Amino acid sequence: MIPDRIKPLLEEVRPLAEAFVAAGHPLYLVGGVVRDLLLGRDRGASTDIDLCTPAHPGEVKAIVAPLADAVWNQGERFGTIGLRMAGRDYEITTFRAESYEPDSRKPEVSFGDTIEVDLSRRDFTVNAMALSVPEPELIDPFGGAADLVAGVLKTPLEPDVSFADDPLRMLRAARFIAGYRLEPTAELVEAVRANAGRLEIVSGERIRDELDKLLVVPDPSAGLWFVVDTGLSDHFLPELSAMRLEQDPIHHH
């Protein structure tokens, strides 16, 4: 039985989904849209929708061209094609395995063959779920739905592997801790402490954007404590650590 709250979105993406199926490719809703559907959160009519497919970017462009009001390909080298259809923006990304070179700020992208491998490279289990379209089936190989219910934040692969793929995920964890009231596993916290220095290879712009997203959640305090307690803030905003000392009664005389 499909929950009623999912049906409008399924109908909205049906033209895209049927076009991909007709071209011989599956299509999946993925990431935040699936997470928020499970939570019953209203993402709003203006929110972008992320999808993924094994079709390569050139094939994606050919499939969506007859349906889209506009198509853009700035993300094509990362496997992502953007489009606008009926007033909504979509991003369709080819299955991928993405990783950073040890000292590079740019991910090296290679395309994958299966949805399970694609999901394994995503940041957290609660974001590593997909919903097939047009016929909805939840793909949840890492137990993200159960983690949402339990209020747990963990990574699909070992956290050291996940944070090596993209060190910004360590800071993104703070936003999910605060915005979704998730408790990080001990393994995740330990991995952030061990890898905090790798945040320095991430561009200042990406760090600022992620920090902005954290600061606008209704109560960012749990996330801010996380970045201080793990040592992350020492690498991008050491003033936060100083503020923690000011609030620590041990350091008041």
Side-chain angles (χ1 to χ4, degrees), residues 21-199:
V21 170
H25 299 291
L27 187 67
Y28 302 89
L29 291 162
V30 71
V33 64
V34 179
R35 177 195 68 231
D36 289 349
L37 280 172
L38 292 180
L39 287 172
R41 287 197 178 193
D42 181 12
R43 291 173 61 86
S46 63
T47 310
D48 294 359
I49 291 178
D50 293 321
L51 302 110
C52 65
T53 178
H56 283 209
E59 297 171 299
V60 171
K61 284 191 289 188
I63 293 168
V64 304
L67 298 169
D69 303 316
V71 177
W72 50 93
N73 57 9
Q74 293 94 324
E76 184 169 1
R77 66 195 179 102
F78 299 115
T80 299
I81 300 298
L83 68 131
R84 179 165 296 142
M85 186 180 73
R88 172 91 78 171
D89 289 350
Y90 299 83
E91 287 194 342
I92 302 177
T93 301
T94 304
F95 291 166
R96 63 190 181 188
E98 180 179 286
S99 62
Y100 274 70
E101 293 301 315
D103 299 309
S104 171
R105 292 179 174 180
K106 302 295 185 184
E108 297 292 324
V109 176
S110 59
F111 296 140
D113 298 319
T114 69
I115 183 66
E116 289 79 11
V117 170
D118 181 88
L119 294 175
S120 78
R121 309 309 300 197
R122 294 180 180 265
D123 51 8
F124 307 112
T125 59
V126 296
N127 296 328
M129 296 180 283
L131 189 69
S132 62
V133 289
E135 298 306 319
E137 178 190 350
L138 183 67
I139 315 296
D140 183 17
F142 302 101
D147 288 341
L148 266 184
V149 171
V152 173
L153 186 70
K154 60 186 179 185
T155 53
L157 302 177
E158 291 295 317
D160 284 329
V161 174
S162 182
F163 298 149
D165 274 1
D166 184 352
L168 186 67
R169 291 172 174 176
M170 295 184 288
L171 180 55
R172 192 176 302 148
R175 171 160 56 98
F176 281 88
I177 289 166
Y180 289 86
R181 298 182 178 180
L182 300 177
E183 186 71 30
T185 63
E187 293 80 6
L188 185 148
V189 173
E190 209 44 55
V192 173
R193 287 191 175 124
N195 292 282
R198 282 187 51 75
L199 195 65

Side-chain angles (χ1 to χ4, degrees), residues 213-232:
K213 292 175 183 177
L214 167 60
L215 292 175
V216 299
V217 305
D219 180 4
S221 55
L224 291 171
W225 287 129
F226 173 80
V227 299
V228 171
D229 291 342
T230 55
L232 271 180

Side-chain angles (χ1 to χ4, degrees), residues 7-19:
K7 291 178 181 177
L9 183 57
L10 291 178
E11 287 308 305
E12 192 177 331
V13 301
R14 183 173 294 278
L16 277 176
E18 290 180 345

